[in-house]
Amino acid sequence: MPKVNDASIASTDAKPYWNQPAAELLAQLEGSAEGLKSTEAEARLARVGPNVLQAKKQATALGLFLNQFKSPIILILLFAALVSLVLKDWVDATIVLLIVLGSAILSFIQEYNASTATQKLQAQVSLKATVMRDGQALPIQAEE
């Protein structure tokens, strides 16, 4: 059986796969209604790699904290605090800075906890798919 041309599958000029007749799509992917032979599936897995999404680069705790200061309203408040400091209005500057810092800490805690919970959930999830191999429906790990 000839090898799948991976570049043709990813071509942007081709019709989307959902808009093609099944027979045409199977021919393009060099498959059949009975599924792939086990040896061909293993060869494709070795050539193309597992079917997994690339994980985003995980932000550090410091990075998450610093991200809290990117909001336009926070930047405006920091500018207002700077103006208050220049005008030697210590009370106003202190109040504004405490509000900004408190907001940043609360937002950081919420985002950090959500990120940790998401990581724990992803570690527990095991996706399975039913595929046709050698004419039989088999459950396999989705990344295979």
Side-chain angles (χ1 to χ4, degrees), residues 22-23 26-27 30-36 131-137:
L26 284 170
E30 298 175 7
S32 71
E34 291 80 35
L36 296 174
V131 297
M132 295 295 290
R133 293 287 186 265
D134 301 318
Q136 294 182 348

Side-chain angles (χ1 to χ4, degrees), residues 80-90 92-93:
L82 180 66
V83 170
S84 293
L85 286 173
V86 168
L87 297 175
K88 297 184 181 180
D89 190 355
W90 309 117
D92 285 349

Side-chain angles (χ1 to χ4, degrees), residues 30-73:
E30 298 175 7
S32 71
E34 291 80 35
L36 296 174
K37 299 217 179 292
S38 295
T39 54
E40 176 62 19
E42 290 171 11
R44 289 185 186 193
L45 181 61
R47 187 176 64 248
V48 179
N51 182 28
V52 292
L53 295 174
Q54 294 296 327
K56 284 185 177 179
K57 182 180 174 187
Q58 195 62 24
T60 62
L62 178 62
L64 281 177
F65 182 72
L66 293 177
N67 279 340
Q68 306 311 312
F69 296 96
K70 289 184 178 178
S71 165
I73 190 72

